[in-house]
């Protein structure tokens, strides 16, 4: 039995979001193929995802010095620990994000900051950092108004590329993606783009 984290970063549901609609098709197909697996939905717009701020820095400092943390420092540092423990305890990750200004919404970056913990996701060695999550798999579904998987704007794409690099840094050996892309650039093809992406997601989920 695998533990699957279905991580979505969108304020809307599938009725108003291409990425969530395709993500939903993926996870429903995955559940059908893997009914024994545990699937946990982390909706980053509903979860408490602390940003690394002054409380967290001072909390980390106090943990080192042995001083007592304030209630707020304690709460935030504890929550980061919960998120990173949950992340490393999972076997598979499915990230679902819209493209906003060439990348993903800021809460996704805050989430990555909460799980990128030395000693958990990677460790430092004399030869440089080494990823520790070598038995995991990751999948990313991203919706964009324009085309970024190829062509002149490909170099501007920084959401999928960032996640791919981070997963590689964590040692995750498998990273696949679906771009639901071009509906704003080609509105007459929007329905076809959506349907094709849903079909690809349903198919990819069966072997994920
Ligand atoms: C704040 C914001 C920024 C956006 N930035 C881009 C962009 O950089 N490139 C692009 O092609 N589309 C951009 N779009 C369009 C979205 O990527 C597109 O609508 C996509 O479908 C969003 O995913 P969703 O359907 O899941 O909401 C942006 C939309 C919003 C709301």
């Amino acid at each position: 039995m695998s533990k699957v984290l279905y991580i979505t970063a969108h304020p809307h549901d599938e009725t108003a979001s291409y990425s969530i609609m395709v993500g939903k098709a993926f996870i429903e197909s995955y559940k059908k193929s893997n009914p024994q697996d545990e699937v946990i939905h982390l909706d980053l717009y509903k979860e408490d995802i602390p940003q690394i701020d002054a409380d967290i820095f001072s909390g980390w400092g106090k943990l080192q010095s042995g001083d007592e943390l304030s209630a707020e420092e304690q709460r935030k540092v504890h929550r980061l620990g919960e998120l990173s423990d949950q992340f490393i305890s999972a076997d598979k990750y499915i990230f679902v994000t819209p493209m906003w200004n060439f990348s993903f919404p800021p809460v996704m970056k805050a989430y990555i900051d909460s799980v990128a913990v030395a000693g958990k996701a990677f460790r430092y060695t004399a030869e440089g950092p080494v990823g520790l999550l070598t038995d995991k798999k990751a999948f990313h579904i991203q919706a964009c108004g324009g085309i970024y998987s190829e062509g002149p704007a490909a170099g501007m794409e920084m959401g999928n590329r960032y996640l791919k690099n981070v997963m590689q840094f964590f040692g995750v050996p498998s990273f696949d993606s679906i771009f639901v892309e071009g509906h704003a650039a080609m509105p007459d093809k929007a329905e076809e783009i959506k349907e094709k992406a849903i079909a690809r997601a349903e198919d990819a989920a069966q072997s994920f």
Side-chain angles (χ1 to χ4, degrees), residues 10 17-19 98-102 143-146 148 183:
H10 204 297
S17 158
Y18 283 71
S19 55
M99 175 186 274
W100 287 356
N101 301 309
F102 312 112
C144 345
Y148 294 85
H183 66 84

Side-chain angles (χ1 to χ4, degrees), residues 126-185:
E127 288 76 43
V130 174
L132 297 175
L133 307 183
T134 53
D135 54 353
K136 320 284 189 193
K137 290 178 92 170
F139 203 100
H140 180 210
I141 294 166
Q142 172 175 263
C144 345
I147 302 277
Y148 294 85
S149 62
E150 57 182 14
M156 302 283 283
E157 197 289 313
M158 284 171 278
N160 178 261
R161 184 185 311 219
Y162 176 85
L163 270 183
K164 188 176 180 176
N165 274 294
V166 168
M167 290 303 115
Q168 213 164 15
F169 182 74
F170 290 174
V172 176
S174 164
F175 183 92
D176 289 310
S177 317
I178 290 178
F179 282 22
V180 191
E181 57 177 359
H183 66 84

Side-chain angles (χ1 to χ4, degrees), residues 78-93:
H78 177 74
R79 179 63 182 147
L80 288 186
E82 275 181 349
L83 288 167
S84 56
D85 284 346
Q86 180 189 51
F87 192 75
I88 62 171
S89 74
D91 303 295
K92 299 180 183 181
Y93 312 114

